């Protein structure tokens, strides 16, 4: 085997593609490059943020239904700085694995077909991941591809937690709580074991707060509950997604209000959440700078629902020893962390104002009964690690 082995990871979101390039050997995978393509902006640009150079390069590809041109150009851009002939495998983040995928797998035609069947369960994310998988297969048909699933980490949840109060037959047909952002939670669980093993072995709630947002209750590093359930719409409000919603609202909109299913889906995924409440923006950075009352109300609702969900999950865990804030908002916005923690003083959360302002790794005071952390997540590292585990198993 050549001296250098490279591994690519594709973290496909609803409107972006994060690309990781890793060098690997017997010791594991080490990141050497990081890129981003944002499909929400035109013209498409490849943004390299880590590696031998930092740059923005305009792409010629349009990024429509078929992503072959985008992936081909991404390979070309990376090839300017890395030996792409040394890439041995590609690992993908796939949002939904259903009940059948509870760990990483090699992507053969059979498994890709099974992922197709799950599109209806994750219409915002699953199709985009499949487009990337098929684009890579077209470009490099002999390259090994693997999938890592956001839902897999939550397979440790009890049947009781995953069940809706619906007819049992529906549960047996797959209408249940799956949980998402599992790759992020897996990384945080590992970081806790490395940094603070005593906390990692206890009861911890992780708040993954970004454009998509959720919370996960960990007991000894294993998932016991998640704010997202059947879909990525569930749980706390997000940038443009509604979060938990009374199903009576849906019946009302589909019935008396005569909304179409397509219109309703678009509203719930793209025009609700912080954007819907504020009518200004779904970006908390914009809302925090805006003095209009609608902006403040959106931020207040966001922090209220997050604090309430932490309270609910504390009941699932039977106590609370730690909180971790992660992802874009969780890692970088102290005002929102403070607003959430202020609502959790009844749980014994005591925030160190200065540590929080500087986004220190530990932001709770020594007197706090709940240790509170800020830890950067790295989903691509988990994808790379899991891809190597699949390669090693063959």
């Amino acid at each position: 085997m050549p001296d250098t082995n490279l591994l690519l990871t594709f973290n496909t979101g609803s409107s972006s593609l994060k690309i990781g390039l890793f060098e690997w050997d017997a010791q594991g995978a080490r990141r050497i490059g990081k890129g981003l393509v944002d499909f929400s902006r035109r013209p498409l640009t490849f943004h390299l943020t880590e590696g031998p150079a930092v740059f923005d390069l305009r792409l010629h590809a349009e990024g429509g239904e078929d992503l072959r041109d985008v992936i081909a150009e991404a390979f070309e851009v990376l090839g300017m700085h890395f030996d792409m002939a040394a890439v041995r495998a590609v690992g993908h983040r796939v949002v939904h694995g259903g009940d059948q995928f509870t760990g990483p797998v090699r992507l053969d035609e059979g498994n890709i077909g099974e992922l197709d069947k799950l599109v209806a369960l994750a219409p915002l994310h699953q199709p985009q991941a499949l487009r990337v998988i098929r684009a890579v297969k077209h470009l490099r048909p002999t390259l090994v591809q693997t999938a890592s699933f956001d839902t897999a980490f939550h397979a440790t949840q009890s049947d009781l937690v995953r069940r809706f109060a619906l007819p049992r037959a529906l549960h047996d047909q797959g209408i249940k709580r799956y949980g998402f952002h599992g790759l992020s939670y897996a990384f945080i669980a590992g970081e806790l074991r490395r940094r603070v093993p005593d906390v990692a072995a206890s009861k911890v709630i992780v708040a993954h707060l970004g454009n998509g947002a959720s919370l996960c209750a960990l007991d000894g590093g294993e998932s016991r509950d998640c704010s997202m359930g059947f879909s990525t719409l569930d749980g706390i409000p997000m940038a443009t997604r509604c979060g938990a919603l009374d199903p009576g609202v849906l019946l009302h909109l589909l019935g008396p209000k005569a909304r179409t299913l397509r219109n309703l889906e678009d509203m719930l995924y793209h025009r609700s959440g912080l954007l819907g409440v504020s009518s200004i923006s779904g970006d908390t950075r914009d809302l925090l700078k805006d003095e209009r009352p609608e902006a403040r109300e959106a931020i207040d609702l966001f922090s209220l629902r997050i604090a309430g969900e932490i309270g609910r999950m504390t009941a699932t865990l039977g106590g609370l020893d730690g909180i971790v804030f992660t992802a874009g908002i969780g890692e970088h916005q102290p005002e929102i962390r403070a607003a959430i923690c202020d609502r959790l003083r009844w749980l014994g959360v005591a925030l160190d104002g200065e540590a929080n302002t500087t986004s220190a790794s530990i932001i709770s005071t020594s007197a706090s009964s709940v240790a509170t952390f800020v830890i950067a997540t790295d989903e691509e590292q988990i994808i790379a690690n899991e891809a190597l585990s699949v390669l090693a198993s063959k």
Side-chain angles (χ1 to χ4, degrees):
M1 185 173 286
D3 293 336
T4 301
N5 296 294
L6 299 183
L7 171 74
L8 273 179
T9 63
F10 287 100
N11 184 344
T12 309
S14 58
S15 61
S16 67
L17 178 62
K18 299 175 184 175
I19 303 172
L21 190 67
F22 293 79
E23 192 174 65
W24 61 275
D25 53 26
Q27 305 304 312
R30 178 179 63 85
R31 190 199 298 271
I32 58 173
K34 182 177 182 180
L36 172 69
V37 178
D38 186 347
F39 293 108
S40 67
R41 301 192 177 191
R42 291 292 187 274
L44 292 182
T45 301
F46 189 101
H47 182 51
L48 189 71
T49 56
E50 182 180 326
V54 176
F55 62 84
D56 288 294
L57 182 66
R58 179 174 174 175
L59 302 180
H60 298 291
E62 293 296 324
E65 287 296 308
D66 187 335
L67 295 179
R68 293 178 184 181
D69 291 345
V70 173
I71 299 303
E73 275 200 80
F75 271 62
E76 288 178 12
V77 172
L78 290 170
M80 297 174 186
H81 304 281
F82 306 99
D83 179 12
M84 297 302 286
V87 174
R88 310 299 171 203
V90 174
H92 297 268
R93 171 199 176 210
V94 177
V95 165
H96 217 303
D99 284 328
Q100 56 268 57
F101 296 111
T102 57
V105 298
R106 185 182 291 246
L107 286 169
D108 54 26
E109 285 300 328
N111 284 335
I112 292 173
E114 290 300 310
L115 297 185
D116 263 323
K117 296 177 183 178
L118 297 171
V119 165
L121 299 182
L124 194 65
H125 298 85
Q126 201 88 347
Q128 193 79 335
L130 284 164
R131 290 184 191 107
V132 174
I133 290 167
R134 290 191 167 105
V136 172
K137 186 174 180 61
H138 173 79
L139 183 65
R140 299 279 294 272
T142 62
L143 197 60
V144 174
Q145 296 194 74
T146 67
S148 296
F149 300 94
D150 266 333
T151 49
F153 183 74
H154 303 294
T156 53
Q157 291 179 11
S158 71
D159 187 65
L160 180 64
V161 168
R162 301 184 76 185
R163 184 175 291 276
F164 290 116
L166 292 170
R168 298 187 71 85
L170 292 177
H171 179 86
D172 297 339
Q173 293 167 22
I175 308 299
K176 62 182 71 172
R177 300 180 63 84
Y178 290 97
F180 298 92
H181 289 134
L183 301 181
S184 176
Y185 296 129
F187 181 84
I188 296 300
E191 281 296 283
L192 287 173
R193 285 192 294 270
R194 185 177 68 83
R195 300 185 190 190
V196 280
D198 55 329
V199 175
S202 63
K203 303 176 188 301
V204 177
I205 293 175
V206 184
H208 176 106
L209 307 180
N211 187 53
S214 69
L215 295 95
C216 180
L218 302 177
D219 194 351
E222 293 190 341
S223 175
R224 294 289 178 257
D225 203 345
C226 185
S227 61
M228 281 182 174
F230 178 72
S231 76
T232 58
L233 284 173
D234 197 14
I236 59 177
M238 290 160 261
T240 62
R241 283 175 258 170
C242 58
L245 187 66
D246 181 343
V249 173
L250 304 181
L251 295 176
H252 182 72
L253 292 174
L254 289 169
K257 292 293 185 180
R259 294 284 187 98
T260 66
L261 184 60
R262 183 180 295 276
N263 175 271
L264 184 61
E265 181 180 77
D266 177 65
M267 183 193 76
L268 297 177
Y269 276 106
H270 303 293
R271 294 186 286 116
S272 297
L274 299 176
L275 174 62
V277 173
S278 68
S279 298
I280 297 169
S281 174
D283 191 322
T284 53
R285 292 169 296 185
D286 296 334
L287 297 174
L288 287 170
K289 292 184 292 186
D290 199 299
E291 296 182 356
R292 282 174 283 182
E294 295 87 352
R296 174 47 55 186
E297 185 174 41
I299 292 294
D300 288 345
L301 180 63
F302 187 56
S303 61
L304 172 68
R305 296 296 184 230
I306 293 169
E309 191 67 11
I310 290 173
R312 185 189 70 78
M313 286 186 172
T314 299
T316 299
L317 291 172
L320 184 62
D321 303 299
I323 295 173
V324 177
F325 289 99
T326 192
I329 298 170
E331 295 168 26
H332 302 297
Q333 295 185 4
E335 184 175 342
I336 289 178
R337 293 195 300 260
I340 295 166
C341 290
D342 186 58
R343 295 181 180 276
L344 297 172
R345 286 181 294 174
W346 63 276
L347 273 174
V349 177
L351 210 59
D352 182 318
E354 183 176 350
N356 181 51
T357 299
T358 59
S359 296
S361 58
I362 301 176
I363 59 173
S364 52
T365 68
S366 58
S368 179
S369 59
V370 179
T372 307
F373 304 87
V374 176
I375 300 177
T377 193
D378 191 342
E379 295 169 319
E380 289 79 30
Q381 184 67 56
I382 295 296
I383 299 168
N385 294 346
E386 292 193 345
L388 291 186
S389 74
V390 172
L391 292 176
S393 68
K394 298 295 181 181

